[in-house]
Amino acid sequence: MQRFHSISVVISLFVFWLVLSGYFTPFLVTVGLAVSVLVVWFAHRMDVIDQEGHPLQLRGGVVHYWPWLIVEIVKSAWTVSRLIVHPRLPISPTLLRVKMSQRTPVGQVMYANSITLTPGTISVAIEGDEIVVHALTQAGADDLVGGEMDRRVSACEGRA
Amino acid sequence: MSQVIDILSALLMSAGGVFCVIGAVGVLRMPGFYTRMHAASVIDTLGASLIILGLLLQSGFSLASAKLVILWLLIFFCSPTASHSLANAAHQRGIKPWQPDQGASSSSKN
Amino acid sequence: MATGSRSVIILEELTAVVLLTLMGAAAIGVARQRNLFGVVLLSGIYSFLMATVMVVLDAVDVAMTEAAVGAGISTVLLLGAIHLTGGTESKPIHRPWLPLFVVTVTGAMLVYGTLGLPAFSDPQAPIHQHVAPRYLTEGPEKTGVPNVVTVVLASYRGFDTLGETFVVFTAGIGVIALLRRRNPRRTQDRDGEGDRS
Amino acid sequence: MIYAVVVGALLVSLSLLLVRALLGPTVFDRALAGNAIGTLAMLLLAIFQFVSGRPEFVDLALVYGVLNIVGTIAVQKFFRYGDLGEPGVGDEEHRL
């Protein structure tokens, strides 16, 4: 698993190099590959590389989760934009605590980031297995308490 | 065909521009720090995504589009991290969320 | 992309003017601000605007350095400096008139100096007649590097770039110092509670 | 000339955010405005590469994005831990 993970990191870095360089001569491609391998090797020696930085285990779940997340983001961004241009600014900010059912730190980060990414809700702090969330409207808070996002992130995490 | 793509990308980019302006207006208009963050996240998500999508249509299938996709991923991974860290720091410093009754002007519950 | 070059130039100049105006506003904000944290943040914003102006004026490498140094590393360094000193600016002991006079005279001289410069992106300017054509025509095959900017930076101006690389390296160290966290596997005194921020 | 419209919109947003950065009132408001200005500058750069017909230089926008988050995280660390040294040691009990 460890070896497989390292190879995956090398491939990602190499693709990144190719995209940034844009030259496909044999020499430069070889240099790129060598640099990718060296970087991963150094990273191993410095102990800065782990499952969290390159969460390969999520590859299956993410495909199901992201489309739903993007639809959610568009919907809530539209709602927040309507609130902003509303002449009376009808907001009712609340601070609430949401339980999260994720087991791994990666899953928790994913959930917290998803909350922040959807406009209208921001994860402020994590305390135990609860996230302190600031919501712009009561409706947004109710949506979150409904727990659909939590369920989907957990499902995405569990698919690993 | 290229006409259609041009028009589509123009629509997407102007929509993105509109959302950026709306977000900026929100940052200026909202009361209290946390509520401003919600407005800023409109810029980070919808505004940026629509503009990048429009540019993607313009660039077609090339290296530039790959870079734009990377840019988009960067925004999507980093902007919530930055927002959360700011909100967290404000929370630690004891910045209180704005409440409708303490505000000076124009507040009404919906 | 099928836009006339004329309208592109107008758009670029307009953008540059607006951005420079915003920079002026940011600079005034920096001068009026007594809270030094605010000063650091505003100068970060100033650097971002400056770098954007550089890109609009086609000086991409300068923009890169300005963004890395101005917006990236100096924010970190200044915050560190504030930690060692204090958060608010003390009242100045001098009257502002002498510095104001010096700055005004210097600025006036600089503006006077620009009058002698060739027009912006004038193809007849000496800079475009002197070595630039040679770099463009001979550089790639002489050095074997495909990218002309890299040819000039890494080969013709190698020492110059070495210095710049130090700056970027310092910025990288700053980033590592900033984002580094103690590895949970190595902390014995705390039982593996990772940093979640 | 669709680019002109988008660039105009971005410049207007930049000015509005700069006003917020100048007004404050708290440091966090300024940091928020700075972060959003970074994002907008990034978009502006990406668009300008297309305006001047060199879309392959979008890398610069990438550099901006990375630096933007570095700046924001630096500010956050400073205000959370009080300094930049020994970052990340602070678990809940250490900080207080």
Side-chain angles (χ1 to χ4, degrees):
Chain A
M1 186 58 212
Q2 185 67 35
R3 175 144 310 171
F4 185 62
H5 182 257
S6 301
I7 291 173
S8 162
V9 178
V10 170
I11 291 174
S12 317
L13 287 176
F14 183 51
V15 169
F16 189 54
W17 162 284
L18 285 183
V19 168
L20 287 191
S21 104
Y23 289 102
F24 297 98
T25 58
F27 172 69
L28 286 174
V29 169
T30 319
V31 169
L33 195 58
V35 167
S36 316
V37 172
L38 275 180
V39 164
V40 173
W41 186 53
F42 283 157
H44 265 298
R45 285 179 60 93
M46 288 167 71
D47 215 0
V48 292
I49 190 167
D50 53 16
Q51 294 284 340
E52 284 182 29
H54 187 75
L56 203 57
Q57 68 272 21
L58 297 178
R59 63 192 178 281
V62 155
V63 180
H64 296 263
Y65 179 57
W66 277 15
W68 179 82
L69 178 64
I70 288 173
V71 172
E72 279 306 295
I73 288 172
V74 172
K75 276 198 295 198
S76 53
W78 177 248
T79 316
V80 172
S81 312
R82 283 238 314 269
L83 286 177
I84 291 173
V85 295
H86 195 285
R88 280 183 304 136
L89 214 61
I91 56 174
S92 52
T94 46
L95 206 60
L96 69 155
R97 287 163 180 277
V98 184
K99 256 218 166 344
M100 56 180 176
S101 60
Q102 285 75 30
R103 287 159 297 142
T104 58
V106 175
Q108 294 176 345
V109 167
M110 219 164 120
Y111 185 35
N113 266 7
S114 305
I115 290 175
T116 312
L117 206 46
T118 39
T121 48
I122 285 176
S123 58
V124 174
I126 293 182
E127 291 168 1
D129 62 344
E130 287 181 327
I131 305 183
V132 181
V133 176
H134 186 268
L136 190 56
T137 59
Q138 197 59 50
D142 292 344
D143 266 3
L144 208 57
V145 173
E148 184 173 10
M149 184 182 273
D150 182 49
R151 233 172 354 88
R152 280 178 188 266
V153 175
S154 287
C156 167
E157 182 191 25
R159 216 182 288 265
Chain B
M1 190 59 201
S2 95
Q3 276 287 311
V4 177
I5 285 183
D6 269 358
I7 291 173
L8 205 60
S9 100
L11 278 179
L12 283 174
M13 285 200 292
S14 14
V18 167
F19 276 109
C20 283
V21 174
I22 287 178
V25 169
V27 172
L28 202 57
R29 214 180 145 205
M30 287 281 189
F33 169 69
Y34 296 103
T35 52
R36 281 173 202 140
M37 294 202 83
H38 297 294
S41 75
V42 173
I43 298 180
D44 280 348
T45 56
L46 211 50
S49 301
L50 286 175
I51 287 179
I52 289 180
L53 211 59
L55 289 177
L56 268 177
L57 287 182
Q58 287 280 337
S59 68
F61 189 78
S62 67
L63 219 55
S65 52
K67 282 176 193 168
L68 283 175
V69 170
I70 293 180
L71 187 66
W72 185 75
L73 286 177
L74 183 84
I75 293 180
F76 251 59
F77 280 114
C78 290
S79 85
T81 313
S83 308
H84 169 72
S85 72
L86 261 181
N88 195 6
H91 185 66
Q92 299 290 349
R93 279 276 156 149
I95 304 264
K96 290 273 174 289
W98 176 86
Q99 291 299 324
D101 47 342
Q102 74 177 44
S105 62
S106 74
S107 59
S108 64
K109 285 213 164 190
N110 58 343
Chain C
M1 256 166 278
T3 46
S5 64
R6 178 105 197 102
S7 52
V8 168
I9 290 175
I10 291 177
L11 181 60
E12 287 187 343
E13 294 204 336
L14 212 66
T15 312
V17 168
V18 172
L19 285 174
L20 286 169
T21 317
L22 292 183
M23 278 168 62
I28 292 174
V30 168
R32 293 186 57 84
Q33 188 68 229
R34 283 286 98 116
N35 183 347
L36 290 178
F37 297 110
V39 169
V40 170
L41 292 170
L42 282 175
S43 43
I45 291 171
Y46 179 90
S47 290
F48 263 122
L49 295 175
M50 182 79 227
T52 315
V53 171
M54 291 295 181
V55 171
V56 173
L57 294 179
D58 273 354
V60 179
D61 55 333
V62 184
M64 193 92 95
T65 315
E66 171 68 35
V69 175
I73 193 67
S74 57
T75 306
V76 178
L77 288 180
L78 286 175
L79 282 178
I82 287 180
H83 173 60
L84 293 178
T85 55
T88 46
E89 186 179 349
S90 54
K91 281 272 171 231
I93 46 175
H94 301 292
R95 297 238 151 224
W97 303 120
L98 181 65
L100 187 66
F101 175 73
V102 172
V103 166
T104 313
V105 168
T106 316
M109 276 160 66
L110 286 174
V111 171
Y112 176 71
T114 61
L115 296 180
L117 291 176
F120 178 64
S121 70
D122 174 16
Q124 299 303 319
I127 185 172
H128 296 304
Q129 299 291 324
H130 188 47
V131 287
R134 212 181 104 212
Y135 284 159
L136 287 176
T137 53
E138 295 175 20
E141 61 258 41
K142 258 194 181 169
T143 56
V145 182
N147 187 322
V148 180
V149 175
T150 314
V151 166
V152 174
L153 284 184
S155 183
Y156 287 100
R157 294 187 203 155
F159 282 113
D160 189 12
T161 307
L162 188 65
E164 282 177 22
T165 314
F166 274 119
V167 172
V168 177
F169 183 66
T170 320
I173 290 180
V175 173
I176 290 179
L178 193 66
L179 299 180
R180 186 180 64 102
R181 59 173 207 201
R182 189 158 289 184
N183 196 320
R185 275 167 283 163
R186 292 226 194 99
T187 39
Q188 276 93 14
D189 48 341
R190 250 167 270 286
D191 46 330
E193 180 88 349
D195 179 9
R196 285 199 234 86
S197 62
Chain D
M1 197 65 198
I2 174 63
Y3 292 124
V5 177
V6 185
V7 168
L10 288 183
L11 288 178
V12 169
S13 329
L14 268 183
S15 332
L16 292 175
L17 286 171
L18 188 68
V19 172
R20 174 47 73 200
L22 290 175
L23 286 181
T26 68
V27 175
F28 297 106
D29 288 299
R30 294 181 214 276
L32 174 68
N35 192 23
I37 284 178
T39 308
L40 287 182
M42 196 155 88
L43 292 174
L44 203 59
L45 280 196
I47 290 172
F48 251 98
Q49 308 299 340
F50 280 80
V51 170
S52 51
R54 298 176 308 176
E56 59 278 4
F57 284 130
V58 181
D59 328 19
L60 251 188
L62 278 174
V63 174
Y64 268 42
V66 173
L67 288 169
N68 195 19
I69 189 169
V70 167
T72 309
I73 300 252
V75 172
Q76 175 264 338
K77 281 219 148 158
F78 192 87
F79 283 104
R80 191 164 162 192
Y81 300 114
D83 68 284
L84 296 167
E86 280 304 316
V89 188
D91 287 337
E92 306 298 313
E93 74 275 22
H94 183 84
R95 183 173 17 84
L96 298 173

